[in-house]
Amino acid sequence: MSVVALSLNHHSAPLDLRGRFAFAPEQLSPALQEFCVNLAKLGPEAALLSTCNRTELYVATGSHRASSLIRPALEWLAQRGGVSPDQLMDHTVVMESHAAARHAFRVASGLDSMVLGEPQILGQMKQAVREADAAGALGTTLHQLFQRSFSVAKEVRTSTEIGAHSISMAAAAVRLAAQLFEDLSRIRILFVGAGEMIELAATHFAARNPAHMSVANRTLERGEKLASHFGAEAMRLEDVPARLHEFDAVISCTASPVPIIGLGAVERALKARRRRPIFMVDLAVPRDIEPEVARLDDVYLYTVDDLSALVQTASEKRQAAVAQAEAIIESGVQNFVHWLDQRSTVPLIQSLHTQAEAWRHAELGRARKLLAKGASPEEALEALARGLTQKMLHGALAELHNADPVQRAQMATAVTRLFLRGERPQGADTTTPFADRSR
């Protein structure tokens, strides 16, 4: 059994490159189906995790070495993002076996997030698993990996204080806005999008009682539903450029593959505002706001990467929680790897059962023939027992007889453990177990 994780994340890749590999939730299942068709000869299991901070491809196979999965998976992902495999490799962390499991557990527990302990990633991983299952790409190995990830994450959150040190992106945005505006209750805020991140941001800003809140979304009905929760105005996405000048703060997070707020629109808004500043937070990957906007005077534009400095705070208490969480994760990793090792012997175990069943069937047939010929039950049972015993020992004894001296010593040790359950055979040499019996 082999497990591989390819991770393009906020540690390894810049925002614009990550944006090339962002998958909307509805794109995950079709992408995985395409991946499995392209790599059908390797028989892979696969799952895709895509968030604002990372795109990760998890792959498993029971019939090939892990190393055989890496290059094909990397080439497929590179093609999806429109870059060369070598360019992608420069920014991708590749992990196998123990390392892949440890990474998955750390991600689920919020230890690899830009915001330590943030809880959203767990829900995103669960959605990734559901999409992989819907695509028919989730097999036994990845199912176990992710279910154990969720279990470890739950233990980390209930047994440590990691969650107490979580500062969400939304809360970080509020802190930044408070540094720019003296009184948040006097500002007008525009939220672009209607997903989970925008809902979280709106919740945090609503707590400051801003003067006005609007929600712009491509689907007006969904925008109206979110706006109603906060007593906000709903507006159409196409109306944003014309009304941008009305807002002091803009928080955007959509699944658009291209920017929806351009440089020209912001320049016109600033002119209409007579250079009054605009606070903008782009939480989307790929970007919702053209990066050139950041160069404009009187615009304070922050991306998800820009927020990292604010949310990463160090303290002894936090470090103690991290150490405790890492210990829980390491225990989970060892348990998963042990399960993985056991899974690798499944074909052998199945073959042994098949062989034993064949012997049983053959010897029962012989015993029945003896009984049909008039043999006593005692004679038939004796023949049955003798036949099974000979078949069971034949292979091991043949290997002992044919092995060279070094191999014979190793083989004798193995045979002793298998058939004598660790008991030292009578009359055996202490340095070469079974030495006399094998002659």
Side-chain angles (χ1 to χ4, degrees), residues 96-117:
E96 303 177 31
S97 188
H98 295 66
R102 184 174 295 107
H103 178 74
F105 292 178
R106 296 186 84 253
V107 170
S109 301
L111 265 66
D112 197 62
S113 296
M114 185 177 290
V115 182
L116 179 70

Side-chain angles (χ1 to χ4, degrees), residues 245 265-278 296-299:
H245 66 280
V266 179
E267 287 177 327
R268 290 190 295 273
L270 285 173
K271 186 177 180 179
R273 290 173 61 80
R274 299 184 180 183
R275 313 309 301 182
R276 283 183 292 121
I278 301 178
L296 296 174
D297 292 336
D298 303 313
V299 171

Side-chain angles (χ1 to χ4, degrees), residues 10 23 43 141 325 368:
H10 60 285
F23 292 83
T141 301
R368 289 190 180 103

Side-chain angles (χ1 to χ4, degrees), residues 281-326:
V281 177
D282 188 351
L283 296 172
V285 180
R287 296 176 189 257
D288 276 347
I289 303 172
E290 289 185 344
E292 292 79 9
V293 170
R295 296 201 293 265
L296 296 174
D297 292 336
D298 303 313
V299 171
Y300 297 83
L301 173 61
Y302 298 89
T303 67
V304 288
D305 286 357
D306 295 326
L307 297 179
S308 62
L310 181 64
V311 300
Q312 292 301 319
T313 58
S315 68
E316 291 183 5
K317 192 173 183 181
R318 171 176 170 239
Q319 292 304 317
V322 169
Q324 187 180 0
E326 294 284 12

Side-chain angles (χ1 to χ4, degrees), residues 333-402:
V333 170
Q334 296 305 319
N335 288 335
F336 174 73
V337 171
H338 177 67
W339 176 86
L340 207 59
D341 290 342
Q342 287 182 320
R343 287 284 299 173
S344 66
T345 64
V346 167
L348 173 61
I349 293 171
Q350 291 174 335
S351 296
L352 287 173
H353 278 296
T354 300
Q355 180 66 80
E357 182 63 20
W359 289 342
R360 186 186 71 84
H361 183 75
E363 293 306 318
L364 275 175
R366 290 183 57 195
R368 289 190 180 103
K369 288 180 181 179
L370 286 175
L371 290 172
K373 291 179 180 179
S376 67
E378 184 68 25
E379 291 174 324
L381 287 172
E382 181 66 27
L384 174 64
R386 188 185 310 110
L388 285 174
T389 302
Q390 290 174 345
K391 283 180 168 58
M392 181 178 65
L393 294 176
H394 174 74
L397 294 176
E399 291 295 326
L400 282 169
H401 282 297
N402 296 329

